[in-house]
Amino acid sequence: AERLLADPAWETEPEVLAMVLRDLPTLADAPSPSPTFHLTAQPDDEWLAMYQSRTDALPAEALQSLGAHIEGPLGFGRLVLDGETVTIARGTLSESGDGTAWLGLSNVEVAANSRRRGFGTLLGQHLLRWGRDNGAEHAYLTVPASNTAGVRLAEKLGFIEQHRRVYARLRG
């Protein structure tokens, strides 16, 4: 595979880590009510505003797919501090072929002025608690290998690397 990828006829996407958390921990309630945790079954306007702020405007179809039914319940979590959304993430509950319930975490975003303050970790804990309360036994997520802060956040929550992947396609 490495020889194939060295061929200039191929282009690759960035390397991605798949990380898992076996046996969701029992987490204590948040030590304080601030920031406030909000969880909805569909992305609300505030959630979408933060999600869209990280990239160019998304087409309507892409926005609709965020809340599309996958397999199980969806949870769109966000933390609000002083009336402002400081972090968002999406949780998805699903079941593997052997009947094991999983929580998938995705679309994690922390406001630029709120980074390195523990908000991502706190939101992750809230969503892990939501997953456990709804039957999830394990959790998974993916993060670009180059996203050091994202990898550290996942590790802080107890996730470990399961595997890495790189997608390749022929140029032209």
Side-chain angles (χ1 to χ4, degrees):
E2 289 175 6
R3 271 189 300 149
L4 180 67
L5 296 179
D7 184 330
W10 290 87
E11 63 183 327
T12 61
E13 293 182 4
E15 182 178 43
V16 172
L17 304 181
M19 302 180 77
V20 296
L21 174 60
R22 301 277 182 196
D23 304 318
L24 290 185
T26 301
L27 298 165
D29 287 333
S32 72
S34 183
T36 308
F37 175 62
H38 296 265
L39 184 72
T40 56
Q42 290 293 312
D44 59 21
D45 290 342
E46 292 82 4
W47 196 99
L48 287 170
M50 178 169 277
Y51 183 75
Q52 287 191 287
S53 72
R54 68 188 183 104
T55 185
D56 295 330
L58 293 172
E61 307 83 53
L63 291 175
Q64 288 174 345
S65 71
L66 280 171
H69 181 76
I70 297 175
E71 232 179 79
L74 296 173
F76 292 85
R78 63 187 179 93
L79 290 182
V80 177
L81 181 66
D82 299 328
E84 296 293 322
T85 297
V86 294
T87 185
I88 62 168
R90 181 178 81 161
T92 306
L93 296 172
S94 60
E95 203 172 274
S96 59
D98 66 359
T100 303
W102 287 82
L103 168 66
L105 295 178
S106 62
N107 305 110
V108 177
E109 183 67 29
V110 179
N113 63 348
S114 297
R115 293 183 181 148
R116 308 271 189 260
R117 296 175 58 191
F119 296 139
T121 301
L122 183 59
L123 180 59
Q125 290 170 338
H126 279 292
L127 286 170
L128 289 172
R129 185 178 303 106
W130 171 76
R132 184 179 175 90
D133 290 349
N134 285 280
E137 300 170 52
H138 311 295
Y140 66 91
L141 57 80
T142 59
V143 61
S146 62
N147 182 348
T148 305
V151 172
R152 286 191 184 134
L153 169 61
E155 290 172 341
K156 202 186 263 188
L157 290 168
F159 285 82
I160 60 170
E161 182 180 330
Q162 182 186 40
H163 66 272
R164 294 172 179 245
R165 70 170 186 247
V166 176
Y167 288 117
R169 63 181 163 270
L170 279 172
R171 294 182 192 274

